[in-house]
Structures are given as structure tokens and as C-alpha cells.
Amino acid sequence: GENVEQHPSTLSVQEGDSAVIKCTYSDSASNYFPWYKQELGKGPQLIIDIRSNVGEKKDQRIAVTLNKTAKHFSLHITETQPEDSAVYFCAALNYGQNFVFGPGTRLSVLP
Amino acid sequence: GAVVSQHPSRVICKSGTSVKIECRSLDFQATTMFWYRQFPKQSLMLMATSNEGSKATYEQGVEKDKFLINHASLTLSTLTVTSAHPEDSSFYICSARTGGNYGYTFGSGTRLTVV
């Protein structure tokens, strides 16, 4: 089955700096890779996703890159703000199967 | 956008009692809903998949007699934790497939504390 690894487990950055979180997956059949933001006591919120036929996707300060050959994908947040502080989860999905989530990264943006 | 409403957000119950958690799709029909469990500082672990009108499919290691799932309509799925014990204390989250190949929306979660 699919296995998703995520690094780092914790990340602290100064406000305005960039943050990068990396994930690797094991199942080459996975073709959808979402990123979720989870604030304390709340459910995960989709912030960006990418499908296997695309190498990069950007939405304002957030971008995701995918390397299918190497089976890894990354989340990039630029100009970080204190409200970006949360736990971020990557996930991999093969349509018809279930999500497999990474272990999460706790991001702290220091003012 | 698609909204999944989950209630209650927090519940405290005594050991040995049962607790029901509801997950409703507000503006779409969800033929498939998913239930996850999340321990503190850990990732989401899929417990079961429920399909409207049929029995839920449970992941390995999840007790189907303890975690009863009912998906009786296209807009409502419920998870009942029966004979709850302190080790059942956790954050439970539902998710629904909203349509298309990859549309999924998560509920806001339920913090269950068993005392």
C-alpha cells in the first residue's frame, strides 16, 4: 500500500520568510496530491492540490511542486504570516482508493 | 463550496456510555463518507468508509461493533462510539466525497473525552 513520509516534523520561520515542506510517496499509481492546513481543534482545510499531469501549481503565496519520477512533492509558502502557523499535512491518493496522509508538519511563524 | 457539518464539536461522556457523532453534507449529496481518528500530535487515520444504503467498510484493527457507522441518507452519516472507554478519547473527523474524481471536504471534527 501507499506510504507517505513528510519532513520536517516541526518548522519555525521568521515572519516574511519562506517555508518549505517536503513529502515522498511510495505508490507510483497515486495521482492526486493535496495539502491540508489544520488549526488547533479544527478539521483539515484544503489549501492547494496538484494532479500527476502537472509539475507545479501556484495560488498567491502558496505553491506545490511535484516530481513524479522521484515520487516527491513539496509545499512552498512565501512571505509567511503569523496566521500561517498551523499543522500541515500532505496526502496521496489514487482515485478509487483512500487518502494516505503524511505525519504532519507543525509550522510556527515567529513575529 | 461544499460544506460538511459535524456535530457535536466537543463531547464529554462517562465511561460505559455511548456517544453519537453526526456528519451532514449541507449542499450536496454524499454517497460516500469517511471517518477518521486523530490522536494528539498525530496524523489522521482512516477508520471506515461508509456508503449510503450499505454497510460500512472498516479498516484493519477497527472494531466494527464498537464504532457503529450508519449512512442512511445521502446527506447524513453517523458514528456511534459504544461503551466508550477513556482510550477512545480522541479527535474524530468525517469527510465526504463531493463529486468528481478528487473532490473531498472535511468536517470540523469532534473532540471526544471519556471520563
Side-chain angles (χ1 to χ4, degrees):
Chain A
E2 177 65 276
N3 180 53
V4 177
E5 297 184 355
Q6 183 173 347
H7 299 280
S9 56
T10 60
L11 177 61
S12 293
V13 299
Q14 290 293 136
E15 182 177 358
D17 287 350
S18 296
V20 180
I21 303 171
K22 298 182 179 181
C23 286
T24 61
Y25 62 99
S26 60
D27 187 354
S28 57
S30 290
N31 50 23
Y32 176 64
F33 308 93
W35 285 90
Y36 289 90
K37 176 183 180 182
Q38 186 178 29
E39 297 177 333
L40 190 62
K42 298 184 179 180
Q45 294 291 316
L46 178 69
I47 56 171
I48 197 167
D49 57 10
I50 192 167
R51 301 188 186 183
S52 59
N53 58 349
V54 177
E56 183 175 357
K57 183 177 178 181
K58 188 174 182 180
D59 183 4
Q60 299 183 351
R61 297 186 297 110
I62 297 173
V64 56
T65 58
L66 170 65
N67 183 326
K68 280 218 68 169
T69 302
K71 295 207 278 283
H72 65 69
F73 56 111
S74 300
L75 176 70
H76 304 252
I77 305 175
T78 59
E79 300 173 21
T80 53
Q81 302 167 3
E83 50 266 38
D84 293 330
S85 296
V87 179
Y88 291 81
F89 292 98
C90 62
L93 175 70
N94 179 12
Y95 179 64
Q97 305 301 317
N98 295 315
F99 278 116
V100 176
F101 287 89
T105 296
R106 184 171 300 276
L107 173 65
S108 299
V109 180
L110 308 174
Chain B
V3 176
V4 173
S5 177
Q6 185 173 344
H7 293 280
S9 58
R10 293 172 181 265
V11 59
I12 300 173
C13 71
K14 291 185 177 180
S15 189
T17 62
S18 296
V19 173
K20 181 184 284 188
I21 302 169
E22 292 189 349
C23 185
R24 293 181 183 271
S25 56
L26 296 188
D27 48 3
F28 66 99
Q29 293 182 330
T31 55
T32 303
M33 287 191 176
F34 306 88
W35 288 95
Y36 293 85
R37 184 173 184 177
Q38 185 178 33
F39 289 108
K41 297 185 179 181
Q42 293 190 22
S43 190
L44 286 76
M45 297 300 295
L46 180 66
M47 298 175 65
T49 301
S50 71
N51 294 294
E52 186 267 335
S54 62
K55 290 184 178 180
T57 302
Y58 291 81
E59 295 300 299
Q60 190 173 7
V62 178
E63 300 176 61
K64 60 179 68 177
D65 294 331
K66 182 169 190 60
F67 298 100
L68 300 179
I69 291 173
N70 184 286
H71 193 162
S73 78
L74 286 170
T75 59
L76 175 65
S77 177
T78 60
L79 168 67
T80 301
V81 183
T82 63
S83 187
H85 292 288
E87 56 266 31
D88 298 324
S89 298
S90 190
F91 194 56
Y92 293 88
I93 308 169
C94 67
S95 173
R97 186 174 285 160
T98 58
N101 288 347
Y102 303 111
Y104 294 85
T105 298
F106 285 83
S108 54
T110 297
R111 171 74 59 195
L112 170 62
T113 303
V114 185
V115 297

